Amino acid sequence: WKRDEVWELRCQVDDISGEALAFGLERLFAVGALETFATPIVMKKGRPAHAVTILCADSHKDAVTSAAFEHLGTLGLREYRVERSVLPREMIEVDTAWGRVRVKVANGLARPEFEDCATISREHSLPFAKVFEEAKRAAESR
């Protein structure tokens, strides 16, 4: 494994729909976020909300910050430099009965890419889990 430093950006949002939140997180990835997640919380006066956490590299911090303001509607972000430990990984492509799937491999673990599996699942009217498992088996048997 290796160590590096990234930015962790955090905010809370209490006036955004679930659909808008999902779209906002997607847009953050599109501009360079390494990771995003939203945790349900309760804010003052019992208001339901989400705590949003975003990881990004220095090179994408401005774009990610702008996207957070635009798509999450937050009025502010807290910014922290954090160290992280990550496993080296490689992206491979495997063939399934329905098409090629990209698979991330790290430390002997195979993780098929969601979008590839979802696309195949939709195109062939298959359960997502079936496509995911076949891609995982194909990667692990290489």
Side-chain angles (χ1 to χ4, degrees):
W1 51 272
K2 68 176 186 164
R3 293 182 85 77
D4 67 4
E5 286 189 354
V6 296
W7 284 99
E8 182 178 293
L9 310 175
R10 296 186 200 169
C11 64
Q12 288 87 32
V13 293
D14 65 353
D15 58 353
I16 187 171
S17 71
E19 294 86 357
L21 178 60
F23 181 80
L25 297 180
E26 176 187 299
R27 299 312 312 148
L28 293 169
F29 278 118
V31 297
L34 299 168
E35 183 177 331
T36 67
F37 60 91
T39 306
I41 59 173
V42 177
M43 292 182 58
K44 67 183 178 186
K45 300 180 183 177
R47 290 193 320 258
H50 288 89
V52 177
T53 304
I54 309 155
L55 296 183
C56 66
D58 281 330
S59 58
H60 293 98
K61 183 173 175 270
D62 288 344
V64 170
T65 297
S66 293
F69 284 130
E70 181 178 359
H71 295 290
L72 299 178
T74 186
L75 299 178
L77 292 166
R78 285 172 303 291
E79 305 173 351
Y80 308 90
R81 285 293 283 164
V82 295
E83 290 184 6
R84 66 179 185 157
S85 300
V86 294
L87 289 172
R89 60 203 70 181
E90 68 173 316
M91 188 68 77
I92 63 171
E93 288 191 8
V94 298
D95 290 312
T96 70
W98 314 284
R100 294 182 71 75
V101 175
R102 291 172 297 155
V103 180
K104 195 178 300 172
V105 180
N107 202 31
L109 301 173
R111 298 287 186 257
E113 287 295 299
F114 169 81
E115 287 300 332
D116 292 358
C117 294
T119 297
I120 288 173
S121 295
R122 288 183 198 105
E123 288 174 356
H124 296 277
S125 297
L126 295 165
F128 176 85
K130 184 174 185 174
V131 176
F132 185 92
E133 287 304 317
E134 179 164 329
K136 185 175 178 180
R137 267 193 306 278
E140 290 172 345
S141 67
R142 288 182 86 181

